[in-house]
């Protein structure tokens, strides 16, 4: 699994952080999402997919690698 973030799409709603706080955080300055870790464990796939689905701007994509 690979998680891709498009920060230019992010509007700082923060639903991704609520869904998977171990995978996503927000910048303090502008609220833009970033990955906590690049090597997301496979057992967090459902949380990553939930975060991507909750994003109103589709700024997160979960890829099967």
């Amino acid at each position: 699994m690979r998680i891709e973030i498009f920060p230019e799409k992010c509007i700082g709603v923060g639903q991704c952080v609520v869904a998977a706080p171990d995978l996503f955080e927000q910048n303090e300055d502008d609220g833009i999402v970033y990955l906590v870790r690049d090597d997301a464990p496979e057992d967090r796939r459902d949380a990553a997919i939930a975060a991507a689905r909750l994003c109103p701007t589709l700024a997160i994509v979960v890829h099967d690698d």
Side-chain angles (χ1 to χ4, degrees):
M1 169 180 67
R2 180 174 54 90
I3 302 170
E4 186 174 11
I5 292 180
F6 298 93
E8 66 279 1
K9 291 183 174 184
C10 181
I11 58 172
V13 173
Q15 291 301 309
C16 56
V17 177
V18 172
D22 58 324
L23 300 176
F24 305 99
E25 286 190 14
Q26 290 176 277
N27 290 324
E28 289 183 23
D29 296 335
D30 56 11
I32 301 301
V33 67
Y34 66 91
L35 282 172
V36 173
R37 51 189 294 180
D38 291 331
D39 60 337
E42 192 63 32
D43 66 343
R44 299 302 293 145
R45 172 181 292 286
D46 290 343
I49 290 171
R53 287 184 179 152
L54 288 169
C55 181
T57 62
L58 306 175
I60 300 169
V61 177
V62 179
H63 300 278
D64 292 321
D65 286 346

